[in-house]
Amino acid sequence: MTLSFKLARFIFNLFDANRQEFYEDFASALRDGAASKERLQKLAARSRARRTGAAPLYEHWLRKMRRMSFGRALQGTVPSYEVMVLTAAEEDGRLDEAMVYLGRGIRLTGKIKGTYFMSLISPAMAFVAVFGFFIAYALLIVPQNLQSLPLAKWPTVSRALHDFSVGMVSHWLLGTVGLVLMGWLTMWTRPNWSGRIRKTVDHLPFLPWGSYRENESTNFLVSLAILLQSNNHGMKEALMQMRQFASPWLSWHITLMLKRLALTPNSPAKALDTGLFSVRVMDRIEDYSERTDFNKALYMIAFDHGEKALELATRKAVLAGFLAMGIVAIVICVIVLGTVEFNQAVENYVQSIH
């Protein structure tokens, strides 16, 4: 793979809006009678002429399409669930419909991911601010205070601030490695850790696994609804196709769904109750499916749930901002309390000397 291809692929996936616009424009071209190869050839030639940098990606797809379908040619360059939807729809001759559904789904999930990302900014800034306070305390305030009062005579709060801040600065390398490993482990376990224990952890509040479950459940519901709308296969076939492209965590849920579906083939809504969705969403899926066709019900709920997930993410972002400000305020209050306490101890120490 050339550097230009890797760069084109990175830019294409960097923002969801890039893929959304591509799918919607591609679907419009297909509806007007254009063929997939012709459309890609036109896009590649235009990109070459204008030097936009996207041509290597389009040409990569064209080379792969000599031996496979358009949907499969995209594998490895776009998210796996999009390949799954496009491949299934292309087999049924409904590629343009699937691209329209994908465009709508990407627009919705992109907004949700953007809101979740914004919700992380305030805690991250608070984390940096708090550590900045402690580093400044260890490097600037502690040396001056040691000249005024021996460490053995420091009061409780000041001594605790000294021990924590100095320890953090002294062992910064160990702390940094620990944070990096903890962050990596958290990111790795989100798509890979599965099982009954993970199912319980997923529903605990204020943990990264819970947020991951909420986000992925929305993507799963939208993808399943699109898949059922864009091909003529049933629930079992759709789930089996999704499992081929799923992460180990999601594959575990889909396997449970297939087992439950085999036990209750006439109640597909109950098969989805594996812990992937919240109780409220499962109640809606079951209620809607009892009143109308399951595929139509799932499609309505999928996008409606996505809108509600966006509202929930917005509320969480606001709450995270207030919590972050609260943490910073608490740290400042502790430092101020320690300073006042220390000044009083210095006065008492000076009086005792005289």
Side-chain angles (χ1 to χ4, degrees), residues 118-133:
M118 293 299 295
S119 70
L120 297 175
I121 292 180
S122 294
M125 293 180 63
F127 182 83
V128 172
V130 167
F131 273 78
F133 281 134

Side-chain angles (χ1 to χ4, degrees), residues 138-348:
L139 298 179
L140 301 177
I141 299 177
V142 166
Q144 295 179 2
N145 288 350
L146 285 173
Q147 294 178 1
S148 303
L149 188 67
L151 183 60
K153 296 184 178 296
W154 282 32
T156 305
V157 176
S158 299
R159 182 63 181 266
L161 286 171
H162 167 275
D163 293 344
F164 182 81
S165 60
V166 171
M168 187 179 69
V169 172
S170 300
H171 302 91
W172 68 270
L173 182 59
L174 182 62
T176 301
V177 172
L179 286 174
V180 171
L181 286 177
M182 186 170 61
W184 175 84
L185 185 62
T186 300
M187 296 300 294
W188 184 86
T189 54
R190 292 197 310 170
N192 290 286
W193 178 28
S194 61
R196 299 291 177 181
I197 298 177
R198 169 65 187 273
K199 179 181 175 181
T200 302
V201 172
D202 278 343
H203 290 270
L204 297 178
F206 306 113
L207 292 179
W209 297 277
S211 299
Y212 181 81
R213 179 194 61 80
E214 292 174 0
N215 190 39
E216 289 300 302
S217 66
T218 302
N219 289 337
F220 173 85
L221 197 59
V222 171
S223 301
L224 180 60
I226 292 174
L227 195 59
L228 292 173
Q229 287 285 323
S230 60
N231 65 53
N232 298 318
H233 301 303
M235 180 76 164
K236 179 181 178 180
E237 291 77 9
L239 289 174
M240 291 179 68
Q241 285 183 331
M242 294 187 74
R243 188 167 60 176
Q244 296 177 18
F245 299 92
S247 65
W249 170 79
L250 184 56
S251 179
W252 184 84
H253 279 283
I254 295 176
T255 299
L256 281 184
M257 292 176 187
L258 287 168
K259 291 179 180 179
R260 294 172 65 91
L261 185 64
L263 297 174
T264 57
N266 296 324
S267 301
K270 293 182 179 180
L272 299 178
D273 191 10
T274 65
L276 180 62
F277 305 105
S278 65
V279 174
R280 179 179 58 83
V281 174
M282 275 309 310
D283 288 342
R284 295 189 69 204
I285 292 175
E286 291 186 13
D287 291 343
Y288 273 61
S289 61
E290 290 174 358
R291 297 194 299 266
T292 184
D293 176 72
F294 175 75
N295 290 1
K296 293 181 180 178
L298 197 65
Y299 187 78
M300 288 187 294
I301 293 173
F303 286 96
D304 183 58
H305 172 61
E307 295 291 345
K308 286 182 170 56
L310 179 59
E311 296 174 3
L312 178 62
T314 303
R315 290 197 296 270
K316 284 187 175 181
V318 175
L319 177 61
F322 282 116
L323 288 175
M325 288 189 293
I327 292 172
V328 173
I330 290 173
V331 172
I332 292 175
C333 288
V334 171
I335 291 177
V336 170
L337 176 62
T339 302
V340 172
E341 186 186 49
F342 180 83
N343 291 336
Q344 184 63 45
V346 170
E347 292 180 8
N348 294 337

